[in-house]
Amino acid sequence: MPYPKQFLILVLFLGSFGECRSKHSTRERRWTGAVETQKHGTSLAKKPPDVTKSRRLKTEQLLKVDDHDFTMRPAFGGPAIPVGVDVQVESLDSISEVDMDFTITLYLRHYWKDERLSFTSTTNKSMTFDGRLVKKIWVPDVFFVHSKRSFIHDTTTENIMLRVFPDGHVLYSLRVTVTAACNMDFSRFPLDSQTCSLELESYAYTDEDLMLYWKSGDESLSIDEKISLSQFLIQKFHTTSRLAFYSSTGWYNRLYINFTLRRHIFFFLLQTYFPATLMVMLSWVSFWIDRRAVPARVSLGITTVLTMSTIITGVNASMPRVSYIKAVDIYLWVSFVFVFLSVLEYAAVNYLTTVQERRERKLRDRAVREQSLPCTCGMSHTRTMMLDGTYSEADTNSLAGYTEAPMVPEEVVSEKQEHMVVHLSVSSESTNTKKKGIRAFRIMQNTHAIDKYSRMIFPGAYIIFNIIYWSVYC
């Protein structure tokens, strides 16, 4: 009997020990849960999932980038893949006449379909990525023909966007600035209009592998309405496309963005045409200055010539060294000729005046010598008379009132200043002297007439030139 009692006591002890341990574990579990609730605010079972990690895993599974070889174009070995293009012009930054180029900033977008990027989606929504995914898939290798400098904007990150649709359609957009060449014609400068073009083409794929086209025709090109240039008025933007042939590689699809610019003339009117016209008009002032004022007329002519030379040099310094004549060159050089002719006009006036004065001096000296010589010839040729200041006009016109007298001595002339000696010559020498005097007077009149005629001829000819010039170039 003692063994059954001991066995029963052992069973009761073990049962009470297990119950105490279970109560202790329950109390410890409750305390741990309370601490975690105080620390996190919510239980671990209710913590929200990491959406970024789940989306990343889902994207990798949907696109299957690692399952395909994207070094080859879509449908490799089959027909050419069509790639649509549209462009939004953000700004037209500058037009350089010296370098013959232009700088433009635009958004370039490509559209194509790559079935390797298709994925299943219940909402049929696209997924958008930045430039990091572009390096892992195939994109068109479009470049700018005749480009001098170009770059993709990278502030704050690369301005590249990639959007993939569930059916495999892809939108690839990038923001780029391009400086491209433009063949300009300056024959009508500054009354000219320039047409430039930005050309896009695939570098590696011919028309058999890649078909480049404008996605929406003329509507594929959109322009910001705020675009404006200081020297040009933007008249028209339009798109064209054609095939380009290279003898070593073949035919390529080429897209053109054409735009026409018309130059503003007001700036050149103020800086070039108006000053040149004023210099020409200033040169005409010398026609109203006395011909004997040599320093004034010479300095005025030299000043206008040098000013015209400065204007011509300044205009040509901002232009390329072209081998043909520009419209502004015609105007400036004709104005320069008018200024130069005004200087030559005064040179002619001064020369003729000097010649006329020499002839007058010779005639005056000859007349003085003839009057100072006494007359010893007979009365059949010359008569010498003493005219007193008290004689009347009738007496002087009548030979009867004159008495033949011998040669008057110089002493008598010096004593009586009121008497005058007159030699009446009927010989041919007197007639020749009168003709020479009339001819000298005519020379004097012609010298003055040069300035008078120049006052009308120069302005009239310049006005006619301006009418012809502006009617032809405008």
Side-chain angles (χ1 to χ4, degrees):
M1 287 298 296
Y3 290 103
K5 290 182 180 179
Q6 294 178 357
F7 181 75
L8 181 61
I9 293 171
L10 181 62
V11 169
L12 291 174
F13 177 77
L14 292 175
S16 61
F17 179 77
E19 184 178 357
C20 292
R21 187 168 183 176
S22 63
K23 289 181 180 180
H24 178 73
S25 61
T26 303
R27 193 181 299 112
E28 185 177 3
R29 194 181 303 114
R30 289 178 181 178
W31 180 82
T32 307
V35 172
E36 290 181 355
T37 303
Q38 292 178 1
K39 187 178 296 184
H40 300 285
T42 57
S43 61
L44 292 175
K46 295 182 179 180
K47 183 179 180 180
D50 191 348
V51 180
T52 305
K53 294 181 179 179
S54 62
R55 177 63 57 87
R56 182 177 61 84
L57 296 174
K58 186 177 180 180
T59 302
E60 292 178 355
Q61 294 174 0
L62 287 176
L63 294 182
K64 300 178 181 179
V65 176
D66 298 331
D67 296 342
H68 302 281
D69 185 8
F70 284 96
T71 59
M72 296 183 295
R73 66 174 180 86
F76 182 78
I81 175 175
V83 177
V85 175
D86 67 29
V87 172
Q88 180 179 350
V89 179
E90 180 183 7
S91 64
L92 192 58
D93 301 327
S94 63
I95 308 292
S96 176
E97 291 88 357
V98 177
D99 298 328
M100 285 193 180
D101 58 22
F102 64 94
T103 303
I104 186 172
T105 301
L106 49 86
Y107 295 95
L108 180 61
R109 304 185 183 97
H110 309 78
Y111 302 85
W112 74 93
K113 185 177 181 181
D114 191 347
E115 295 181 353
R116 294 173 295 184
L117 297 176
S118 60
F119 60 92
T120 58
S121 174
T122 57
T123 59
N124 199 25
K125 290 184 178 180
S126 62
M127 292 188 297
T128 303
F129 308 94
D130 57 14
R132 286 172 289 186
L133 185 62
V134 174
K135 300 177 181 179
K136 299 180 180 180
I137 66 173
W138 181 91
V139 293
D141 58 339
V142 175
F143 79 105
F144 297 97
V145 186
H146 307 306
S147 172
K148 295 182 177 179
R149 296 175 300 276
S150 62
F151 64 92
I152 298 175
H153 292 260
D154 55 359
T155 306
T156 56
T157 59
E158 285 188 330
N159 298 169
I160 297 176
M161 185 268 288
L162 186 70
R163 182 170 295 170
V164 182
F165 294 85
D167 58 353
H169 282 88
V170 182
L171 167 60
Y172 173 49
S173 176
L174 63 156
R175 181 168 174 254
V176 60
T177 296
V178 185
T179 300
C182 177
N183 295 324
M184 301 182 184
D185 182 14
F186 298 105
S187 59
R188 298 176 63 89
F189 177 87
L191 307 170
D192 58 335
S193 296
Q194 302 295 340
T195 300
C196 300
S197 62
L198 183 64
E199 306 172 11
L200 294 84
E201 182 181 307
S202 173
Y203 191 84
Y205 298 101
T206 63
D207 61 339
E208 297 178 355
D209 293 324
L210 189 146
M211 185 179 66
L212 207 62
Y213 68 98
W214 290 112
K215 186 175 184 297
S216 303
D218 291 336
E219 297 180 357
S220 301
L221 180 63
S222 58
I223 308 164
D224 191 350
E225 296 180 355
K226 298 180 181 179
I227 294 179
S228 62
L229 296 172
S230 59
Q231 292 190 22
F232 291 91
L233 173 65
I234 302 176
Q235 289 186 325
K236 182 176 61 173
F237 269 91
H238 65 282
T239 60
T240 56
S241 61
R242 64 171 65 98
L243 289 175
F245 177 73
Y246 296 91
S247 58
S248 57
T249 54
W251 294 88
Y252 294 82
N253 293 110
R254 181 176 295 183
L255 305 181
Y256 295 83
I257 302 174
N258 304 311
F259 55 93
T260 303
L261 306 173
R262 183 172 182 83
R263 196 182 304 274
H264 293 299
I265 187 61
F266 189 72
F267 171 81
F268 295 94
L269 287 176
L270 293 180
Q271 299 295 327
T272 303
Y273 287 95
F274 190 63
T277 304
L278 287 182
M279 287 300 104
V280 175
M281 297 175 65
L282 183 62
S283 67
W284 300 339
V285 176
S286 63
F287 302 152
W288 278 266
I289 299 177
D290 187 5
R291 58 191 174 89
R292 296 180 183 85
V294 177
R297 296 190 67 165
V298 170
S299 61
L300 181 61
I302 294 176
T303 301
T304 52
V305 168
L306 293 178
T307 305
M308 284 301 305
S309 300
T310 303
I311 294 174
I312 294 173
T313 304
V315 172
N316 291 329
S318 60
M319 295 296 298
R321 293 180 176 87
V322 295
S323 58
Y324 50 84
I325 299 177
K326 303 181 292 291
V328 68
D329 294 336
I330 296 176
Y331 192 90
L332 292 179
W333 280 105
V334 170
S335 300
F336 182 84
V337 169
F338 271 90
V339 172
F340 186 72
L341 288 178
S342 65
V343 178
L344 294 182
E345 185 270 347
Y346 176 65
V349 169
N350 189 38
Y351 175 76
L352 293 178
T353 301
T354 304
V355 173
Q356 184 266 339
E357 289 178 352
R358 290 178 182 176
R359 291 182 179 178
E360 283 186 348
R361 190 180 301 109
K362 290 181 180 180
L363 291 176
R364 190 165 50 252
D365 294 342
R366 184 180 298 175
V368 171
R369 285 196 302 268
E370 290 179 355
Q371 290 180 2
S372 62
L373 292 176
C375 183
T376 56
C377 56
M379 286 298 297
S380 59
H381 297 285
T382 306
R383 296 180 181 181
T384 303
M385 294 162 287
M386 176 68 68
L387 295 180
D388 190 85
T390 60
Y391 290 169
S392 64
E393 185 178 357
D395 295 337
T396 58
N397 291 333
S398 177
L399 294 176
Y402 297 110
T403 57
E404 184 177 353
M407 182 179 62
V408 180
E410 294 181 359
E411 293 81 359
V412 177
V413 176
S414 61
E415 292 177 358
K416 297 181 179 181
Q417 296 295 334
E418 66 274 7
H419 294 83
M420 180 175 57
V421 178
V422 178
H423 300 277
L424 297 178
S425 177
V426 295
S427 63
S428 60
E429 295 180 359
S430 177
T431 305
N432 295 333
T433 303
K434 292 180 180 180
K435 291 181 179 180
K436 291 180 180 180
I438 294 172
R439 192 179 298 111
F441 179 76
R442 289 179 179 176
I443 293 174
M444 186 70 177
Q445 289 296 106
N446 291 334
T447 303
H448 286 288
I450 293 177
D451 282 338
K452 292 180 180 179
Y453 291 148
S454 297
R455 295 170 189 173
M456 298 180 293
I457 294 175
F458 275 75
Y462 196 69
I463 290 173
I464 294 173
F465 162 72
N466 275 273
I467 294 174
I468 296 174
Y469 179 87
W470 294 109
S471 61
V472 169
Y473 287 100
C474 287

